[in-house]
Structures are given as structure tokens and as C-alpha cells.
Amino acid sequence: MPQRRDLSPADACWLYSEWEKNHQTVSALLWTDRRVDPDALREAVQTRLVDRYPVFVQRVVMSRNPLLMPHWEDDPDFDIARHIQVVDLPAPGDKAALEALVSEQRTPLLDRDHPLWTIYLIQGFQGDCSAMHLRIQHSIADGWALVQLFLSLTDETDEATDSPAEGRAQPGEVDADGPAHDQPDGPRRESPLRLRRRTLRAVAGLRQGLH
């Protein structure tokens, strides 16, 4: 039986106040120092977001009774490929080109027939690197929760043991009470979905931010 959960009044307000000229969608953007493998990204999103948080496979359904709240309901046609789009950045592949592309991606409203999130994997940024643009409806998470959400797709790694041949994100433990780590001295070898350790914070509050 499909899972169904009512939205809180506060979350419903983000839906009611959204229209073509008043978006209530939050975006986050990050880029890497090498090309990201689309299969690795899909696997990370599946295991760390979709399998963990039911809202990522649920669509919003408005009540026929205006006195009742909208509710989340499992999308019977959920397809992760619909929500992770791989695109090539137009030449010259610089910051200006990335800004223009992200601006275009932010223009349309998210499709309410399906879960209200999209990740764009943008290839060809600054040569052979990648950028990732995550869009999510504010009723799912606020801006800080979105940043934490994005970081949950990354792994902390030890440069002494990390292999340069690694190209897939591996599940890692998160210390919810631990401090941020300082950036180590010298060059580091990172897999495509990893950030430097000083940028990785514990995903504290993520469960409170995602409903």
C-alpha cells in the first residue's frame, strides 16, 4: 500500500505560495576538480537519498477538500533517471557559461506529477571537470538542509589510503557530533564525488530538515 503523509501547515504554505513568477525552489551548486561518473552519482543518490528518505520517491497531492492539507504519496511512476539529468556545458565551459546554464535550469517549476527534486550533472566545466546543480522544493527542505543533503553525497577520505583509481562514491559514516576537519597540507587524491575534508561537516539536522 502506498505511503501517505500529510504536509504540515508550514510546508503547505511553500506550495500554496508558488506560481510561475514566484518560485519556492531552493538550489545548491557545487563543482569538482575532475569529471563525475554519472553511474556513480546515480548510485550515491539512490543509496543515500532515495533509499533513506521516503519523500524523494513521493509526489505531492492536493486535497479535494480545501480545508485539508496536501499530502505526500508514493509516485507509482518514479524513475531516478527522470530526476538526474546529465547535460554538457556549452563552450567555453567557464564560470559565465555555468551561470547562464544554471539560470536557465532554474526557470521552470518542478513537475508536481513527480517528486519535487532534480539534480543536473553538468559535464565539461573548466575543461574536463563537472558541476552539480540540485533543485528541491522548499516544502521538502530549506536552504541549509539542502547544503547538508548535498554534502551527504560526498565522502571524507584519507589521502594516504585513497586510491587515484577510485571513481565511485563509497558509503561512509557521519559523526553527527564531530567538528569540521582542517584541510591537510599538500596535494590530495580525491574520488569524483569527494570534497576536501575541511568542507565536510556532519549532516546534523538533516533528518529534521527533510520531512
Side-chain angles (χ1 to χ4, degrees):
M1 178 180 296
Q3 296 184 19
R4 169 176 169 164
R5 299 175 298 108
D6 290 340
L7 276 75
S8 69
D11 290 336
C13 285
W14 294 115
L15 291 173
Y16 291 142
S17 62
E18 182 178 62
W19 57 298
E20 287 80 2
K21 295 186 179 181
N22 186 47
H23 289 207
Q24 299 294 356
T25 303
V26 186
S27 288
L29 179 68
L30 66 80
W31 51 89
T32 63
D33 62 358
R34 66 194 68 183
R35 181 174 290 260
V36 171
D37 178 4
D39 291 336
L41 177 61
R42 293 187 190 98
E43 180 180 342
V45 172
Q46 180 70 48
T47 58
R48 303 185 186 195
L49 301 185
V50 174
D51 293 345
R52 187 176 183 185
Y53 302 108
V55 73
F56 283 92
V57 296
Q58 294 177 331
R59 61 184 180 180
V60 65
V61 179
M62 308 301 289
S63 174
R64 296 180 181 179
N65 186 339
L67 299 180
L68 298 180
M69 291 292 102
H71 63 270
W72 297 110
E73 183 177 276
D74 289 354
D75 180 5
D77 297 321
F78 175 77
D79 182 359
I80 196 171
R82 180 186 294 114
H83 297 272
I84 301 179
Q85 302 182 28
V86 183
V87 299
D88 292 324
L89 184 62
D94 57 5
K95 182 179 179 180
L98 180 62
E99 290 175 347
L101 179 60
V102 169
S103 179
E104 293 178 6
Q105 293 170 344
R106 286 174 51 85
T107 299
L109 292 171
L110 294 170
D111 185 358
R112 292 195 180 184
D113 289 334
H114 302 289
L116 297 175
W117 63 275
T118 297
I119 295 178
Y120 297 96
L121 175 57
I122 304 168
Q123 305 287 40
F125 176 56
Q126 294 183 340
D128 198 31
C129 300
S130 299
M132 287 180 284
H133 175 207
L134 172 58
R135 299 186 68 205
I136 194 167
Q137 222 284 339
H138 209 306
S139 57
I140 297 178
D142 61 18
W144 175 236
L146 181 58
V147 172
Q148 295 172 317
L149 182 73
F150 231 158
L151 291 181
S152 74
L153 297 176
T154 68
D155 287 313
E156 183 176 352
T157 183
D158 185 346
E159 67 274 16
T161 59
D162 187 25
S163 169
E166 286 185 290
R168 305 178 69 84
Q170 300 297 325
E173 296 181 355
V174 176
D175 179 6
D177 298 319
H181 296 277
D182 293 332
Q183 181 180 355
D185 296 330
R188 300 187 60 241
R189 295 173 293 183
E190 298 173 312
S191 62
L193 292 181
R194 294 177 178 177
L195 300 178
R196 281 177 166 77
R197 288 192 290 179
R198 67 182 179 87
T199 67
L200 294 179
R201 304 273 315 187
V203 193
L206 183 59
R207 290 191 179 276
Q208 287 72 29
L210 297 177
H211 307 287

